[in-house]
Amino acid sequence: MKHYQFTIIVQRDEEGNYVAICPALQGCYSEGETPEEAVAYLKDAIQLHIEDRQARNEPIYEELFSQRLDVAA
């Protein structure tokens, strides 16, 4: 079994829920009432996403690096 590492982002939406997003896996996100719940659900979503791609013999793209940008607006 191969292990993967992905960068995730946790944000708060306008209703006060937490949204966890995995940018490397397009469309892979989850929502929870706490950051921990959102991350736990996202981990499940990532595992299902990977299993689905493997079943269809599709590649699983791995991140090269992540970086924070400081932008003035």
Side-chain angles (χ1 to χ4, degrees):
M1 174 186 298
K2 184 170 180 175
H3 289 266
Y4 297 91
Q5 290 188 344
F6 295 103
T7 299
I8 65 168
I9 299 168
V10 179
Q11 301 172 324
R12 213 159 179 187
D13 68 13
E14 53 277 343
E15 289 139 19
N17 292 314
Y18 292 90
V19 178
I21 304 163
C22 181
L25 302 175
Q26 187 175 9
C28 198
Y29 66 92
S30 70
E31 190 175 310
E33 292 182 10
T34 66
E36 296 81 12
E37 185 177 69
V39 170
Y41 291 152
L42 181 60
K43 185 174 182 179
D44 291 341
I46 289 170
Q47 288 173 327
L48 291 171
H49 186 100
I50 290 171
E51 289 171 6
D52 184 58
R53 292 187 71 87
Q54 288 172 332
R56 293 185 285 149
N57 292 320
E58 295 179 354
I60 298 162
Y61 300 108
E62 296 186 57
E63 297 175 27
L64 297 177
F65 68 92
S66 63
Q67 177 178 337
R68 289 181 66 100
L69 295 177
D70 185 16
V71 178

